[in-house]
Amino acid sequence: MSSISSIRLSGLATGMDTDAMVKSMLTADQEKIDKAQQKEQTVKWQQEIYREVMSDIIDFNDKYFSLTSKDSILSNSAWNTLSITSSNSSVISATGNAGATNVDYKFNVKKLAETAKAQSSIEGLKKESKLVSLGAKEGEQFKFELGKDDTGNTIYSSDITIEADDTIDTLITKINNSVDGKIKASYSEMTGKFTVETKDTGSNTEFKIVGEDGSSSKALDFLDLKTKNSSGNLVKFDENGAKGSNSEIEVSSKDGTFKKTLSQESNTFTIDNIKYTVNSTGSAEITSKQDTSSVVQKMKTFVDDYNKIMDRIYDLVTEKKDSDYPPLTEAQKEEMDEDEIKDWEKKAKQGILRNDSEMRRFMDSMQNAIFGDKMNILNEMGISTVEDYNKRGQISLDESKFTEALENDSEKVYKAFAGSSNSMMEKMKSTVKNYVGGSSSIFAKKAGLEKTASVANNFYSEQLKRQADIIKNLKNKMYDKEDKLYLKFGNLESQMNKLNSQMNYFAQA
């Protein structure tokens, strides 16, 4: 109990149990410390529970509202109601988006879309080959002209200077660092070829090698670069530069009533809400059939996961606290085993967030985000509030209505649920961001969000700091009082020793 480390030998003269008497005299002080520590423990639990809820909400957000998640419910493809198959996916494959219509076509890929590309044709080229030994001029500068931007201005890379120690490897690094991902240089150890090409494909992509003044440059002529002309033949790379080309794909219906040739700038393109990916030349058939099961299952899982969060929050803000189960003191814990402590603390945590205003507002905000002024529309599509009052904040999915709505017009369903900034999902995502989206979000200010500045600067952490100071001050006061009591009992022992000595003296006399 005491902060004094010296050994006290008390009660020898008086016969009193000094330690027990001091402890009894400090009972009121220890009770104040116990209450302060119990309050501290309650705040710690409140913060822990808050952070658990925040973690659940963040996981929910990352699972359904992140476009990079395989379970994303915001992407157009998540609302695809077509099952599309390819007879030869190594040639062409397809996936549907919301509103996609049935397809039954034959594809004959004659040519893929290509980048603008130039490749060396000299023999014996190696990564470590010195440029000057290959015929490059030291000190010569060049740059890449990459066509025009949306405003009509010519796009250039930064200037590149050939230096005495440059090799094929350092040239590649300089080129790749000269422009933001629009062009790429590489070397193949297998073929011994140096290649420079655009990132994008299509007839609108091109590049030229020019000098500082913008005129054609021969700075890389020592590599004897070759490129393809409009006929697809290899020709010398010159002032005309290199140009990309479009794909050439013949498409026809099986009954022969429809036939056309597609020319696409990219090997990935979307037509009639179906995304096609061309992989190689050859023939394949793309067919489809209506299948809403995956969308229905995704929505069912979404609703279940959302309701679990709302169910927990509703329990937290409505459960009553049992005053018979306050946080345990250290003395009480010493008299209990681990299971008893665990059971006690489980009951002690109940009701500590009852009527929490921020959590109640979160539930209300999510309800408003889901329905707002679109309750009738969503009801028609199978989404409604749960009628059970004990499940406040939860939503219900009528699978039959939802399936029927998808079959009638999947694009309309997609727009209502996720296809616009005013849709149900986007409003939910915005609300989630408002509550757990960063250090300035509502829940972060209350309990602190991991990996942000709020983890140490929040309402509960400030309370814990103040409570720690209160506990420290109460303990210091009790220690001072304890020392004074022991000092008084020590003086009493000293006086009793003197009195005993005198009594012994008189008795002997």
Side-chain angles (χ1 to χ4, degrees):
M1 181 184 292
S2 174
S3 61
I4 305 299
S5 60
S6 59
I7 299 175
R8 294 171 171 139
L9 299 174
S10 56
L12 298 179
T14 61
M16 294 187 298
D17 186 348
T18 307
D19 288 335
M21 294 182 69
V22 170
K23 184 177 180 180
S24 176
M25 292 177 178
L26 295 175
T27 298
D29 301 85
Q30 185 62 52
E31 287 177 352
K32 289 180 181 179
I33 293 173
D34 288 342
K35 287 182 179 179
Q37 288 177 328
Q38 286 173 318
K39 183 176 180 180
E40 180 186 50
Q41 182 60 71
T42 298
V43 176
K44 284 181 179 179
W45 284 340
Q46 288 173 325
Q47 187 178 52
E48 287 171 5
I49 294 171
Y50 241 97
R51 289 183 176 180
E52 288 171 2
V53 171
M54 291 167 68
S55 178
D56 289 344
I57 296 171
I58 291 171
D59 288 345
F60 176 83
N61 178 78
D62 292 345
K63 180 178 180 180
Y64 293 109
F65 297 151
S66 171
L67 291 176
T68 58
S69 169
K70 65 180 181 64
D71 297 306
S72 173
I73 205 162
L74 293 180
S75 64
N76 192 300
S77 59
W79 298 84
N80 169 47
T81 58
L82 284 185
S83 174
I84 302 175
T85 57
S86 170
S87 64
N88 192 348
S89 57
S90 64
V91 173
I92 187 169
S93 59
T95 56
N97 292 320
T101 55
N102 278 308
V103 292
D104 191 1
Y105 297 129
K106 293 180 180 179
F107 290 82
N108 183 19
V109 181
K110 309 282 285 185
K111 179 181 172 297
L112 274 71
E114 295 181 348
T115 61
K117 181 168 69 174
Q119 193 172 68
S120 65
S121 60
I122 60 175
E123 299 293 333
L125 193 63
K126 295 181 178 179
K127 238 181 181 182
E128 62 272 15
S129 298
K130 289 281 188 72
L131 302 188
V132 291
S133 68
L134 295 171
K137 295 180 181 179
E138 181 185 350
E140 188 163 11
Q141 285 191 329
F142 68 95
K143 58 187 174 182
F144 290 92
E145 181 183 311
L146 299 165
K148 299 183 183 298
D149 61 19
D150 294 337
T151 60
N153 295 318
T154 301
I155 303 171
Y156 291 103
S157 71
S158 58
D159 290 331
I160 299 170
T161 303
I162 296 175
E163 299 174 16
D165 293 332
D166 273 341
T167 63
I168 292 295
D169 196 31
T170 61
L171 175 64
I172 289 170
T173 300
K174 286 183 175 181
I175 291 173
N176 290 338
N177 290 339
S178 70
V179 66
D180 186 21
K182 292 183 179 296
I183 199 165
K184 178 185 177 183
S186 62
Y187 171 81
S188 169
E189 292 184 1
M190 180 67 75
T191 64
K193 301 291 185 182
F194 166 87
T195 305
V196 59
E197 62 184 318
T198 56
K199 175 187 175 183
D200 297 327
T201 58
S203 57
N204 287 327
T205 59
E206 62 178 327
F207 71 84
K208 297 178 181 179
I209 299 174
V210 299
E212 293 179 88
D213 60 357
S215 62
S216 180
S217 171
K218 297 183 178 182
L220 297 185
D221 277 8
F222 66 92
L223 291 170
D224 193 18
L225 297 173
K226 304 289 185 182
T227 187
K228 287 184 179 181
N229 61 17
S230 58
S231 299
N233 300 318
L234 283 176
V235 296
K236 180 179 176 59
F237 182 90
D238 56 21
E239 66 274 5
N240 293 317
K243 293 181 181 293
S245 61
N246 289 357
S247 64
E248 184 182 340
I249 307 168
E250 294 178 351
V251 187
S252 62
S253 59
K254 289 183 179 179
D255 59 9
T257 57
F258 163 77
K259 185 175 182 179
K260 71 180 296 186
T261 298
L262 300 176
S263 179
Q264 298 290 330
E265 291 197 349
S266 172
N267 291 311
T268 300
F269 54 90
T270 299
I271 298 177
D272 294 335
N273 291 319
I274 296 177
K275 180 181 178 182
Y276 295 94
T277 302
V278 181
N279 301 306
S280 66
T281 57
S283 299
E285 294 182 358
I286 300 288
T287 57
S288 67
K289 63 179 181 180
Q290 191 79 8
D291 183 8
T292 61
S293 60
S294 62
V295 183
V296 174
Q297 183 58 45
K298 186 182 287 287
M299 177 57 70
K300 184 179 178 181
T301 304
F302 172 86
V303 169
D304 287 345
D305 287 348
Y306 171 78
N307 284 343
K308 286 176 185 176
I309 293 174
M310 291 298 106
D311 188 44
R312 185 180 185 194
I313 293 176
Y314 185 69
D315 283 346
L316 289 172
V317 299
T318 58
E319 63 185 359
K320 295 180 180 179
K321 184 169 180 59
D322 191 335
S323 57
D324 292 333
Y325 290 90
L328 294 168
T329 64
E330 291 303 316
Q332 289 172 326
K333 286 182 180 181
E334 290 175 2
E335 298 175 357
M336 302 168 72
D337 60 35
E338 289 186 9
D339 289 338
E340 289 175 328
I341 293 172
K342 185 177 179 181
D343 291 340
W344 183 285
E345 290 188 342
K346 183 178 179 180
K347 294 179 180 178
K349 289 178 182 180
Q350 292 177 355
I352 61 175
L353 286 175
R354 181 177 172 81
N355 290 325
D356 183 87
S357 57
E358 284 80 8
M359 285 198 175
R360 281 193 173 277
R361 279 198 294 270
F362 173 73
M363 293 179 67
D364 292 339
S365 297
M366 289 300 282
Q367 279 290 94
N368 186 58
I370 294 171
F371 295 105
D373 57 355
K374 292 186 176 182
M375 180 173 286
N376 291 335
I377 296 174
L378 294 178
N379 285 345
E380 290 174 3
M381 295 179 178
I383 292 290
S384 61
T385 57
V386 175
E387 294 181 0
D388 187 346
Y389 185 79
N390 292 321
K391 295 186 177 183
R392 185 168 173 249
Q394 298 186 38
I395 55 179
S396 175
L397 173 65
D398 186 321
E399 292 185 36
S400 296
K401 278 187 176 182
F402 186 64
T403 300
E404 184 180 353
L406 287 171
E407 291 174 344
N408 291 336
D409 192 342
S410 63
E411 189 167 15
K412 180 180 178 181
V413 177
Y414 164 65
K415 287 180 179 179
F417 280 85
S420 72
S421 59
N422 196 40
S423 66
M424 165 184 157
M425 303 294 181
E426 287 292 349
K427 284 187 174 182
M428 290 177 73
K429 180 182 178 181
S430 179
T431 301
V432 167
K433 183 179 179 181
N434 190 33
Y435 277 83
V436 295
S439 59
S440 61
S441 61
I442 294 171
F443 282 174
K445 288 181 179 179
K446 184 74 176 278
L449 185 63
E450 294 294 336
K451 298 180 181 179
T452 72
S454 69
V455 73
N457 184 22
N458 58 79
F459 173 76
Y460 284 133
S461 291
E462 290 300 320
Q463 276 198 324
L464 289 172
K465 289 175 186 176
R466 287 195 294 270
Q467 205 61 25
D469 289 338
I470 291 171
I471 293 169
K472 182 180 179 181
N473 290 333
L474 287 173
K475 284 184 176 181
N476 288 337
K477 288 180 180 179
M478 187 179 74
Y479 294 152
D480 289 343
K481 185 176 180 180
E482 180 187 44
D483 290 338
K484 290 177 182 178
L485 287 172
Y486 272 111
L487 182 61
K488 289 181 179 179
F489 279 111
N491 290 333
L492 178 60
E493 289 290 324
S494 177
Q495 294 299 321
M496 287 300 295
N497 279 329
K498 290 181 182 179
L499 182 58
N500 287 337
S501 296
Q502 290 174 354
M503 291 294 291
N504 289 334
Y505 174 79
F506 288 124
Q508 291 172 1

